[in-house]
Amino acid sequence: MIERFYTIVAGLAIALGATSTLSAQTTIYPGNLPLTPVPSKAPSLEDYLVSRLRATSEDQRSYVHEIVRLIDQRKLDKRLVLALERRARGKNPVFPLPVFERTLRFEAARRRITVPTIQEIVARNGASAVQAVQDSRFRR
């Protein structure tokens, strides 16, 4: 009696396993896939560089924006910028932006391309330039 019960339970388990496998196979069928493309969730190049280079202030973000603008104008190569970003993170993983800035200026000068420094971008922005000149240790 118990042996027959076990065979029935085993038969049911096999039958249920076969139907779940069968239903899984039907959901993968290409006819059941949605026709609309799935939107990409990849960040933009600017967001990627801001987060990877740890650009925290508005001036540093403006610098990264300027670099992305030079890439969009095809003055800088995207592969070069990404390679220099990886190199800067290898040299200084805590704050790679200064290393990135120096190496990018060096490589751009070799290719006869003018890349602004963060200080030049600070000088362009009037309100933030005043804040940058003031020393944070002394309150006025």
Side-chain angles (χ1 to χ4, degrees):
M1 180 85 164
I2 293 178
E3 297 165 355
R4 186 172 180 193
F5 176 74
Y6 286 136
T7 57
I8 292 173
V9 170
L12 284 174
I14 291 173
L16 288 175
T19 58
S20 66
T21 307
L22 191 73
S23 66
Q25 290 174 354
T26 57
T27 57
I28 298 174
Y29 179 70
N32 293 339
L33 295 176
L35 298 176
T36 59
V38 178
S40 174
K41 295 185 180 182
S44 67
L45 178 62
E46 185 172 352
D47 295 336
Y48 177 79
L49 288 175
V50 164
S51 66
R52 298 281 289 180
L53 294 173
R54 300 182 190 228
T56 55
S57 70
E58 190 61 38
D59 298 325
Q60 293 168 349
R61 288 190 187 114
S62 298
Y63 174 74
V64 172
H65 178 73
E66 185 74 22
I67 299 303
V68 171
R69 190 177 64 78
L70 290 173
I71 292 172
D72 291 340
Q73 292 174 352
R74 301 198 189 278
K75 291 183 180 179
L76 281 176
D77 188 20
K78 182 179 178 180
R79 293 184 314 168
L80 171 71
V81 171
L82 292 176
L84 293 177
E85 174 266 326
R86 284 190 299 274
R87 182 179 187 276
R89 285 183 54 86
K91 288 280 191 178
N92 188 357
V94 176
F95 192 56
L97 188 62
V99 177
F100 175 78
E101 180 186 10
R102 283 192 306 269
T103 55
L104 181 63
R105 282 188 56 84
F106 177 77
E107 290 295 327
R110 286 181 58 199
R111 291 164 174 76
R112 292 181 174 81
I113 301 169
T114 304
V115 176
T117 62
I118 294 176
Q119 285 78 20
E120 291 171 355
I121 291 176
V122 168
R124 276 192 236 161
N125 301 338
S128 63
V130 172
Q131 292 173 352
V133 171
Q134 295 175 355
D135 194 349
S136 63
R137 293 175 291 176
F138 301 108
R139 299 283 177 205
R140 295 182 188 215

